[in-house]
Amino acid sequence: MLALIAFLPILVTVLLMAVFNWSAKRVLPLAWGLVCLIALAVWRMEPVYVLGYSLFGALKALDVIIIIFGAVLILNTLRQSGAMLRISNGFRHITNDRRLQAIIIGWMFCAFIEGAAGFGAPPALAAPLLVGLGFPPLAAAMITLILTGTSVSFGAAGTPLLSAVNGLTIYVERTGGARFTMLLTEQVAFLHAIVGFFVPLIGLCCLVVLFGEDKSLKHAFAAMPFAFFAGLVYVVPYYCTARFLGPEFPALLGGLVGLPILLWAAKSGFLAPKTRWDFPAQNAWPADWRSQIELEENQRPEVGMPLWKAWTPYMLIAFILVVTRIPVFGLKELLSSIKLTVPNVLGIDGLDYELTWAYLPGIIPFTLVALLTHFLHDMTPAQTKRAWQNTFQQISGAVVALLFGVAMVQLMLNSHVNTAGFDSMMTTMARAMAALAGNAFMVFAPFIGIMGTFMSGSSTVSNILFASFQYETALLLELPPVLIVALQAVGSAFGSMISFNNVVATCATVGLMGAEGKLIKRNLIPCLLYALLAVAAALLLLGGGHLR
């Protein structure tokens, strides 16, 4: 009974977001209020602890909010300067085969953008680009969402995975913070690398069957050598980066290394299919494939900016991230030492919050490079103003959701500080789940991550909500806890392709109205397939004796 009461706020969250289509910014404040009520009435926590841990959670949310702000700001700055359109047009002359265009842009370019910006930006950027190349809007939205999942766990300088680590502070301290983070990073990267090798081919299978004239898989298999090559040239640097440099670089450097190789392969015809594949003629497209609006991005005139100049901000981001994250340069220690501290939140001993603002990628490099871009790209004051205004408007909903979502999780984690003598709500739920699932829990772990992203619209939020729950359940079942959290992180990344928020945002960028439900249903099959492949890869890790 106690476990059902503890699970009630999560159940309410799932129902309101998945069934009634409420937004995260509406649901999570309500869920937090429900947790507060349960903490006071059932767990009999003192009000000062309820407010203290809630405030501590809200403060911890600032770390993620700052990163989101910087990521969205650099994206809006490049849109206003015309650099994003110039980058898009640079892809036009590489290949005219739609399968190869989908892989280059939806798989590799999206991976790079995910590493640099994240938070739903890649599909929203890439889908209009594909439409401009001649893709049906519905196909462009679908393929970009399907192909982006592998890079999501390490998107925006590793924020989704680092958020999982932040939510596991109690357990991280037992293992040692740096060691725990690297171990989790390596296992997440391994699972993604195994599944990611097959992702481009799976995406092509969906594309040719759902949008091809004869709906035959033979067209996907004809491009299989190129698809496997695309998977390989991304996941190899992706995994190596994760293993040796940590969670902030894999998506970024994987895309940075893989993109020029893939562009060369497509342009030179290396492993390319012998015959070109295309969609049916536009006059034969069904109504639901089409856009209901003329896309603003495609109406803008050609930008006279050199391609190297358009790419310069992203090159700066990659360079600054590397020199500020590798200890040998000395900047990591310096930036990490610059912090704001709130000791003993609400007078609770030991509840100290630290904001290492200079080390957050939202400040350096995202906001820094955005400011430099205003000068590098000769932006007008009006363009600069629009970039900042759009950024504040876009993140407002995420701010509300994160403040209350992280507050809720911290309260549930620390609810063991009570006068009723109960374990924390997280521990209580974990014990109940362990009793129900037994050793089969490993199969369920990635689907919990998918559910979290589906209901919250964010892999980061999903990891914040469920990483500690997954860890505690694994401990109770004597399963490898880091591997279970890795499956959570991988599942939450794949959940981005069916996340209502991501689907709505991507559809909006290509002018699709009312197609969101159809897109979620179509993307559900590859999403579930990816999760099952991740479980198989986890069993491979477990059977190989590589886990401690």
Side-chain angles (χ1 to χ4, degrees):
M1 183 63 182
L2 207 59
L4 285 175
I5 295 172
F7 190 70
L8 186 61
I10 293 177
L11 180 62
V12 168
T13 302
V14 172
L15 286 174
L16 290 178
M17 297 187 75
V19 178
F20 295 98
N21 294 331
W22 283 30
S23 65
K25 68 179 181 181
R26 290 181 65 191
V27 174
L28 289 176
L30 179 63
W32 168 78
L34 187 55
V35 171
C36 289
L37 185 62
I38 292 170
L40 291 167
V42 181
W43 262 254
R44 298 208 299 272
M45 292 181 69
E46 295 180 16
V48 66
Y49 288 112
V50 172
L51 291 176
Y53 288 119
S54 296
L55 180 57
F56 178 73
L59 289 170
K60 286 186 75 66
L62 289 177
D63 298 50
V64 181
I65 290 168
I66 290 170
I67 297 171
I68 294 175
F69 175 83
V72 176
L73 177 63
I74 189 67
L75 176 62
N76 284 329
T77 300
L78 293 179
R79 278 178 164 168
Q80 290 298 322
S81 74
M84 193 53 64
L85 181 61
R86 182 66 186 93
I87 290 171
S88 300
N89 289 339
F91 288 112
R92 291 182 182 273
H93 309 297
I94 303 298
T95 177
N96 60 2
D97 190 302
R98 303 304 187 188
R99 294 164 297 186
L100 273 56
Q101 289 175 343
I103 291 175
I104 292 169
I105 295 171
W107 169 246
M108 196 66 78
F109 179 65
C110 274
F112 176 79
I113 298 299
E114 183 67 40
F119 302 105
L125 277 175
L129 193 163
L130 289 175
V131 171
L133 292 175
F135 278 58
L138 187 64
M142 183 198 75
I143 196 66
T144 51
L145 286 163
I146 288 175
L147 294 181
T148 307
T150 303
S151 56
V152 168
S153 288
F154 299 113
T159 302
L161 187 127
L162 291 173
S163 296
V165 174
N166 289 338
L168 293 166
T169 306
I170 298 171
Y171 319 109
V172 171
E173 288 172 354
R174 298 174 189 165
T175 313
R179 180 172 173 270
F180 180 93
T181 301
M182 288 303 295
L183 190 60
L184 179 61
T185 298
E186 183 179 349
Q187 291 187 19
V188 170
F190 177 83
L191 299 179
H192 269 311
I194 295 296
V195 180
F197 180 74
F198 299 97
V199 164
L201 179 61
I202 294 171
L204 288 187
C205 288
C206 296
L207 186 69
V208 301
V209 168
L210 294 172
F211 295 94
E213 196 161 12
D214 58 1
K215 304 187 182 301
S216 173
L217 281 173
K218 68 180 182 181
H219 301 297
F221 294 139
M224 184 166 60
F226 188 88
F228 282 157
F229 180 71
L232 187 68
V233 297
Y234 178 67
V235 300
V236 169
Y238 171 93
Y239 176 75
C240 293
T241 302
R243 181 164 186 177
F244 297 109
L245 295 182
E248 293 155 319
F249 306 112
L252 183 73
L253 294 185
L256 193 61
V257 172
L259 185 58
I261 297 174
L262 205 59
L263 290 173
W264 164 82
K267 195 160 189 176
S268 64
F270 179 70
L271 297 178
K274 295 180 180 178
T275 56
R276 176 177 176 265
W277 181 84
D278 203 346
F279 300 102
Q282 287 197 25
N283 57 15
W285 290 358
D288 61 352
W289 288 17
R290 300 173 179 273
S291 174
Q292 282 81 51
I293 61 172
E294 287 295 323
L295 298 181
E296 176 188 350
E297 198 78 14
N298 295 330
Q299 291 178 328
R300 293 172 59 184
E302 175 69 34
V303 178
M305 181 186 295
L307 193 57
W308 66 265
K309 191 173 183 180
W311 276 98
T312 297
Y314 283 128
M315 298 302 102
L316 283 173
I317 286 171
F319 173 76
I320 294 171
L321 277 173
V322 169
V323 298
T324 57
R325 265 59 185 175
I326 298 178
V328 70
F329 294 107
L331 289 174
K332 179 175 182 177
E333 186 177 349
L334 174 63
L335 295 177
S336 299
S337 66
I338 304 172
K339 59 185 69 174
L340 296 174
T341 304
V342 180
N344 300 330
V345 175
L346 281 190
I348 300 173
D349 289 339
L351 193 62
D352 303 329
Y353 169 72
E354 291 184 345
L355 177 67
T356 54
W357 61 270
Y359 188 69
L360 290 175
I363 302 294
I364 300 173
F366 293 157
T367 300
L368 174 62
V369 171
L371 291 171
L372 291 174
T373 302
H374 298 319
F375 302 100
L376 288 171
H377 291 175
D378 300 317
M379 294 176 64
T380 65
Q383 290 173 323
T384 300
K385 182 180 177 181
R386 278 195 300 272
W388 284 76
Q389 281 180 337
N390 291 344
T391 300
F392 280 111
Q393 289 171 1
Q394 287 172 237
I395 72 163
S396 58
V399 168
V400 174
L402 283 165
L403 287 174
F404 285 96
V406 181
M408 179 180 78
V409 171
Q410 285 297 322
L411 181 54
M412 294 179 79
L413 273 172
N414 293 283
S415 52
H416 62 281
V417 184
N418 61 69
T419 59
F422 296 152
D423 290 326
S424 72
M425 296 182 202
M426 282 294 183
T427 300
T428 301
M429 288 190 293
R431 289 185 187 279
M433 180 64 78
L436 287 172
N439 289 329
F441 182 76
M442 182 177 287
V443 178
F444 293 98
F447 295 98
I448 292 171
I450 289 171
M451 179 189 69
T453 303
F454 174 75
M455 72 183 194
S456 69
S458 166
S459 173
T460 297
V461 175
S462 178
N463 290 340
I464 289 170
L465 289 172
F466 294 117
S468 55
F469 166 75
Q470 300 256 31
Y471 194 102
E472 291 215 25
T473 305
L475 288 178
L476 290 169
L477 293 170
E478 298 183 350
L479 293 169
V482 179
L483 180 60
I484 297 299
V485 176
L487 284 167
Q488 155 67 34
V490 169
S492 72
F494 291 143
S496 63
M497 73 180 71
I498 59 169
S499 156
F500 189 75
N501 285 9
N502 280 0
V503 169
V504 169
T506 305
C507 285
T509 64
V510 294
L512 290 170
M513 310 299 175
E516 294 86 358
K518 176 177 289 188
L519 205 52
I520 289 173
K521 289 174 185 175
R522 289 185 172 186
N523 287 3
L524 184 62
I525 293 174
C527 178
L528 298 180
L529 178 58
Y530 291 170
L532 291 173
L533 286 172
V535 172
L539 291 172
L540 182 65
L541 258 183
L542 196 60
H546 300 301
L547 302 177
R548 290 168 288 206

